[in-house]
Amino acid sequence: MGEFDLIKRYFNRPAKRSPLGVGDDCALLAPAPGMQLAVSCDMLVEGRHFLSTVDPFRLGHKALAVNLSDLAACGAKPLAFTLALALPRVDETWLDGFSRGLFALAEAHGCDLVGGDTTQGPLNICITVFGEVPAGQALLRSGAKPGDDLYVSGTPGDARLALEVFRGGLSLPADVFEHVRGRMEQPTPRVALGQALRGIATSAVDVSDGLLGDLGHILRQSGAGVRIDTAIAMNLIAPHAQLARVAGHFSSEKQLEFVLAGGDDYELVFTAPPASRAAVQAAAQGSSTAVTRIGVIEAEPGVRLVDAAGQLLHRHYASFDHFA
Ligand code: ADP
Ligand code: MG
């Protein structure tokens, strides 16, 4: 199969919301009047971001999910995306699974695949996503203020727990492993929550490199610090993963580390003033996404981890860095 047949068969679907999709020199997008375009790009490299054995359907999902997660962190609504793909060979079974996983998530978010590029080479998937957000209302990393509450969505730590099993560092009961593996291989981008937080959250970021690492971007860009209640934070990991810990599969220190420094979570970390607590809960309910208040922004720079009694913990967690 040649390049153009491959594109036609697997990646050319009619654009539903964009004036022009795959097939011309450019695609055309039509953001609504008064909206700004939100643009983000994420690359997935085999062996670096995913295991070569991963189910292609799940990989198609994840490649788009990590990009939609960036739109979510800005409070933007997905419009369209492009796909640049390097493939070692034409493997139709792989292409079929990958494209089905990709389009299943794309359709769930009304996000058109409008173009891309296809070449032979080591497996590499690069998606650029386009969203729209009312002018001036994008959620930024720079708006956190001392006194703001710190929140996180969902169950951070699950993906890192699955990775630990893949690395041979621990073993889990089969049902727990299947659950956390699904969270690692098919993360849920918090797109509805991000949009619901517009006008409420003072800052937001999505968690790809670890909760504390990505929160660090908010703190630096907002010129602030944070106090985190680790007794609340450590229990964010999925409830049946907590049961696995209680059954002795891993320690509470590991559990806290997975939550605070795991990575690959694609949850949202955000801040909002205490006066907005009811509005945050309404946004969470309206988007069917759990959010938990885990700390408070402080004027003094740095991260202070405290236990249930308010005592400072002296722990340091490194954030994921591709070149470190
Ligand atoms: P050009 O040479 O103008 O860059 P190409 O021949 O590379 O165009 O691609 C032909 C058309 O197919 C273009 O509209 C391009 O956007 C689209 N396309 C190429 N690869 C992909 C892909 N992997 N997914 C979606 N669209 C693609
Ligand atoms: Mg091209």
Side-chain angles (χ1 to χ4, degrees):
M1 187 186 310
E3 175 186 334
F4 298 104
D5 289 332
L6 184 161
I7 296 167
K8 193 163 163 231
R9 173 159 322 169
Y10 295 104
F11 299 114
N12 192 347
R13 301 267 180 102
K16 291 188 179 136
R17 299 171 62 210
S18 312
L20 185 62
V22 170
D24 215 306
D25 294 306
C26 289
L28 297 174
L29 304 182
M35 301 296 240
Q36 289 176 328
L37 265 188
V39 181
S40 183
C41 175
D42 255 313
M43 182 156 62
L44 270 71
V45 176
E46 179 168 16
R48 175 49 66 175
H49 301 98
F50 59 91
L51 308 168
S52 58
T53 50
V54 70
D55 173 12
F57 182 96
R58 291 182 166 206
L59 185 59
H61 172 107
K62 183 164 181 175
L64 182 58
V66 303
N67 280 278
L68 292 176
S69 178
D70 284 312
L71 288 186
C74 284
K77 179 177 171 202
L79 276 179
F81 67 106
T82 60
L83 168 67
L85 198 57
L87 299 169
R89 70 197 82 80
V90 177
D91 175 342
E92 293 211 44
T93 308
W94 189 92
L95 280 161
D96 178 63
F98 177 83
S99 59
R100 281 190 297 106
L102 184 78
F103 282 115
L105 187 65
E107 273 155 29
H109 289 278
C111 192
D112 291 329
L113 175 57
V114 294
D117 199 22
T118 307
T119 179
Q120 200 265 331
L123 184 55
N124 191 328
I125 304 155
C126 184
I127 287 180
T128 301
V129 78
F130 303 85
E132 60 179 7
V133 60
Q137 287 189 38
L139 304 177
L140 306 180
R141 297 174 172 186
S142 53
K145 300 272 182 305
D148 280 356
D149 294 320
L150 176 73
Y151 296 88
V152 63
S153 67
T155 58
D158 298 351
R160 182 62 181 78
L161 185 56
L163 183 64
E164 193 70 11
V165 176
F166 277 111
R167 285 181 175 166
L170 62 87
S171 63
L172 289 175
D175 62 324
V176 180
F177 176 58
E178 272 317 306
H179 176 80
V180 294
R181 177 185 188 170
R183 298 268 303 137
M184 176 180 120
E185 294 181 343
Q186 284 191 284
T188 306
R190 305 301 187 183
V191 174
L193 176 64
Q195 290 172 73
L197 288 172
R198 289 199 302 243
I200 299 170
T202 49
S203 70
V205 69
D206 71 316
V207 181
S208 51
D209 297 332
L211 196 163
L212 289 181
D214 287 310
L215 170 60
H217 299 303
I218 288 185
L219 300 180
R220 266 186 303 280
Q221 295 187 29
S222 301
V226 73
R227 173 174 303 261
I228 293 177
D229 185 333
T230 58
I232 297 176
M234 73 175 289
N235 288 318
L236 289 171
I237 202 163
H240 36 315
Q242 292 178 42
L243 291 179
R245 197 258 298 162
V246 171
H249 290 271
F250 51 95
S251 66
S252 55
E253 285 75 19
K254 277 278 167 209
Q255 181 171 324
L256 182 62
E257 182 190 328
F258 294 156
V259 170
L260 292 181
D264 244 8
D265 300 302
Y266 303 100
E267 296 294 355
L268 296 185
V269 167
F270 60 95
T271 57
S276 300
R277 281 181 191 169
V280 168
Q281 286 315 319
Q285 261 163 26
S287 58
S288 306
T289 309
V291 306
T292 309
R293 184 157 53 87
I294 60 166
V296 61
I297 299 296
E298 297 178 332
E300 189 190 342
V303 174
R304 287 160 291 280
L305 302 177
V306 298
D307 64 16
Q311 291 293 310
L312 272 181
L313 299 181
H314 296 282
R315 300 232 180 102
H316 178 77
Y317 297 104
S319 162
F320 187 77
D321 179 337
H322 284 291
F323 293 101

